[in-house]
Amino acid sequence: MQKKKKLRWGLPLASLLITGSVLAACSGADAPKQSPAESTAEATKGPPEKLIWYVRYSEPANAKAVIAKANERIQSKINATLDLRFINPGDYDNKMQLIMASGEEYDLAFTSAWANNYLNNVDRGAYIPLDDMLAKYPDLQSILRKEVWNAVKVKGHTYGIPNNQIMVSQDGVWFKKDIAEKYGLDVQHVKSIQDLGQIYAAVKEKEPALIPLRAGSVSLGFNSYVPSVENLFSVDTSTWKVYDKTQNYVDEYKTFREWYQKGYFPQDVATLKDETSLIKAGKIFSRYGRQKPGGDAELKIAYGFDVVQAATSSPIIGRSAALSTLTAISATSKKPELAMKLIHLINTDKELINLLSFGIEGTDYIKTGDKRIEKKTGSYELPSWILGNVFNTYLLPGQPDDVWEQTQKINETAQIDPLISFNFDRTSVENEMARLTAIEKEFQPILDNGLDDTDKTLKLREEKMKAAGFDKVLAEVQRQLDEWRKTQK
């Protein structure tokens, strides 16, 4: 087994080179092929190996006991033990960047389009391609639509396994039901961002100590769907021209500026790290929330109060939705085949994912039916969408009996983003993309939360973007998009 040291940060081919050496060393070029079941049976003869998995979640109560019990099952199935490492959501991006840059050996990590950025990490060689290993698990491949698998590919290779959940992207807002009912606020039928503003004005007047909205987001704007590339560019599908995405949202940004000045957001809206405690304490009236069947029941379990949800967009499966929750195998892992076995296990073994999601029966929850549970206050919890296949999990109070059937139907029938399989190759503009991404990270919280004058902020952003090579990257996106369209039937 090749010994790996520090990652060569910034080299896109690093993962390919590492994978070749790892797989060759672990399996041997002339070794006879084995099915996952056969190789698992063979592995159980030796001592168990530890797998380190980083997740974006604060360590829940009773975690050590739950993981110990989960390891009994994992060891019996694949002769491994799991070291599940929790990182506070507010710290996850920075800590994972440090972990990857240092070359630390670990095996699995939560990654996505919105946290611990999947595409950036693939470009930097942080993950290994999984296609050869994935081919051994047709039951895992069959869980998702082919368009979703195509969406997660980078340069033709799969570097992350999507966690099977609601694959549809549908924006919306949840509101505290007690406050809405107390003041007769018709939150379920809001039709515009102006309607939201009127609701927040009423809340601010009647409950001055209550924060009307956790944070701003263009997803609150009731906009028609516009395909995007790299979260920087939009594409007009009538002309197939690429342009700066901020052009779509100037009115929303100006609204958020007004809301900030009126005190609709937390004072530390852009830097707040522990929003969960604030929400659980009942100090926030509403928050952006991705819409899904049974979502209101999940939120009640998470926060301890009833919510009302309102959709602000139509359902669509786009690349961002496909990349919203994934599990990747680190380029520093010495046990990639075993890590893939764990991914397969947690996506197919109902007992394991329910144990890691809800904890221990009798201690953390009680069963109220064959497929239903009721959580105990202050008990262990880890959202199943962070781990794997939510369709194998118990139902919570308030979730309809057919919630997973509803969700599956939406996944199978939702409109597909016309750019879902378009994969922008950053190679020729890698340095420019790194600079643009850093600038976007600097300005997006300012614009989304109205922290400064909108026109001034957009002008300064544009100047910095242009100086960092925005026009060069836009031209490259346009070129690749034009070439890609020639291959589409």
Side-chain angles (χ1 to χ4, degrees):
M1 184 78 66
Q2 179 181 350
K3 184 177 180 181
K4 288 183 268 309
K5 296 183 180 179
K6 190 171 183 178
L7 275 177
R8 298 181 66 189
W9 207 238
L11 294 181
L13 293 180
S15 57
L16 296 175
L17 297 173
I18 291 172
T19 301
S21 61
V22 168
L23 296 183
C26 291
S27 60
D30 300 320
K33 292 184 178 180
Q34 292 178 301
S35 70
E38 290 171 335
S39 59
T40 297
E42 184 72 22
T44 56
K45 294 179 181 179
E49 294 191 82
K50 182 173 72 173
L51 293 170
I52 297 172
W53 187 345
Y54 282 105
V55 293
R56 184 183 180 273
Y57 205 72
S58 300
E59 183 170 337
N62 202 34
K64 289 181 174 57
V66 171
I67 295 169
K69 190 168 182 62
N71 276 332
E72 293 175 8
R73 188 163 185 82
I74 295 169
Q75 186 170 345
S76 71
K77 294 288 184 178
I78 62 171
N79 200 34
T81 59
L82 172 61
D83 180 357
L84 195 59
R85 298 187 180 180
F86 299 92
I87 298 179
N88 185 292
D91 298 324
Y92 191 70
D93 278 14
N94 289 337
K95 288 194 175 181
M96 286 309 301
Q97 290 298 308
L98 291 173
I99 288 166
M100 291 182 288
S102 71
E104 175 186 320
E105 290 181 7
Y106 72 98
D107 301 288
L108 303 126
F110 175 84
T111 181
S112 70
W114 54 275
N116 193 29
N117 190 276
Y118 171 72
L119 296 175
N120 290 350
N121 294 340
V122 170
D123 280 349
R124 292 164 176 163
Y127 306 140
I128 64 170
L130 307 176
D131 306 88
D132 290 343
M133 292 188 290
L134 184 59
K136 300 176 183 178
Y137 301 96
D139 56 338
L140 184 57
Q141 290 180 291
S142 66
I143 290 175
L144 301 166
R145 291 173 66 168
K146 67 177 182 180
E147 292 93 345
V148 173
W149 286 112
N150 289 338
V152 304
K153 289 183 180 293
V154 180
K155 300 179 184 177
H157 295 285
T158 306
Y159 292 86
I161 305 299
N163 297 338
N164 189 24
Q165 51 144 346
I166 180 76
M167 284 295 164
V168 168
S169 180
Q170 184 175 23
D171 298 320
V173 194
W174 62 253
F175 308 86
K176 287 187 93 263
K177 186 177 182 180
D178 60 341
I179 298 297
E181 290 183 343
K182 181 178 180 180
Y183 298 109
L185 303 173
D186 188 12
V187 296
Q188 204 160 16
H189 297 99
V190 290
K191 300 297 182 185
S192 67
I193 198 168
Q194 288 75 27
D195 290 347
L196 282 176
Q198 292 175 9
I199 289 169
Y200 295 144
V203 170
K204 186 68 176 176
E205 176 187 355
K206 299 177 185 300
E207 297 278 345
L210 186 63
I211 298 166
L213 179 61
R214 160 62 184 98
S217 168
V218 294
S219 298
L220 300 169
F222 297 84
N223 294 295
S224 299
Y225 183 78
V226 180
S228 64
V229 178
E230 296 287 347
N231 197 36
L232 290 170
F233 307 96
S234 290
V235 178
D236 182 345
T237 52
S238 65
T239 61
W240 293 100
K241 294 301 180 185
V242 182
Y243 61 95
D244 183 350
K245 71 160 190 176
T246 59
Q247 295 176 25
N248 299 320
Y249 307 119
V250 175
D251 290 342
E252 283 78 8
Y253 293 144
K254 290 185 176 180
T255 297
F256 299 147
R257 175 61 176 163
E258 294 175 5
W259 289 1
Y260 175 77
Q261 291 175 319
K262 292 177 178 178
Y264 292 176
F265 303 135
Q267 289 185 343
D268 56 347
V269 58
T271 57
L272 177 63
K273 289 186 177 182
D274 184 15
E275 67 171 41
T276 303
S277 296
L278 206 58
I279 294 172
K280 284 184 174 181
K283 295 181 179 180
I284 291 180
F285 170 64
S286 72
R287 187 193 188 284
Y288 163 79
R290 190 175 174 191
Q291 303 293 287
K292 61 180 178 178
D296 50 352
E298 290 186 24
L299 290 169
K300 182 176 181 178
I301 294 295
Y303 299 138
F305 52 78
D306 289 312
V307 304
V308 179
Q309 296 193 102
T312 58
S313 73
S314 299
I316 191 166
I317 298 181
R319 200 167 193 220
S320 61
L323 302 182
S324 62
T325 57
L326 304 101
T327 302
I329 297 178
S330 172
T332 60
S333 173
K334 289 185 176 181
K335 306 172 285 290
E337 293 276 2
L338 189 60
M340 178 57 87
K341 287 180 183 178
L342 180 59
I343 292 175
H344 175 260
L345 184 66
I346 203 164
N347 277 280
T348 55
D349 189 305
K350 292 183 180 181
E351 182 175 330
L352 180 59
I353 194 166
N354 279 302
L355 178 56
L356 286 172
S357 298
F358 301 117
I360 300 169
E361 183 180 359
T363 301
D364 300 295
Y365 67 87
I366 58 172
K367 291 199 76 174
T368 57
D370 289 342
K371 298 181 180 179
R372 284 193 172 275
I373 65 168
E374 187 171 319
K375 293 286 295 173
K376 293 188 174 183
T377 304
S379 61
Y380 173 93
E381 64 175 353
L382 174 60
S384 52
W385 54 262
I386 290 176
L387 299 169
N389 187 1
V390 305
F391 294 89
N392 285 335
T393 59
Y394 294 133
L395 298 179
L396 300 169
Q399 285 185 317
D401 290 337
D402 63 345
V403 63
W404 299 138
E405 288 78 9
Q406 289 184 45
T407 306
Q408 188 63 30
K409 183 178 180 180
I410 293 174
N411 282 351
E412 292 173 351
T413 60
Q415 179 185 349
I416 298 293
D417 184 328
L419 297 185
I420 193 168
S421 63
F422 174 63
N423 174 36
F424 177 59
D425 183 352
R426 300 176 169 199
T427 304
S428 65
V429 288
E430 185 177 351
N431 292 333
E432 289 83 359
M433 277 301 304
R435 292 195 292 269
L436 295 180
T437 301
I439 294 169
E440 181 67 3
K441 188 174 181 179
E442 173 190 354
F443 280 92
Q444 203 57 53
I446 301 173
L447 291 167
D448 277 349
N449 299 300
L451 303 184
D452 203 347
D453 178 78
T454 304
D455 291 332
K456 181 181 77 172
T457 303
L458 285 170
K459 186 174 186 299
L460 182 57
R461 176 189 178 277
E462 180 181 8
E463 291 171 353
K464 286 195 172 185
M465 286 284 192
K466 283 187 175 295
F470 184 87
D471 292 338
K472 178 182 177 181
V473 178
L474 185 148
E476 181 60 17
V477 173
Q478 185 72 66
R479 185 192 69 78
Q480 291 187 30
L481 181 66
D482 293 342
E483 290 298 315
W484 173 80
R485 287 186 61 221
K486 294 176 184 177
T487 68
Q488 303 304 296
K489 295 182 181 180

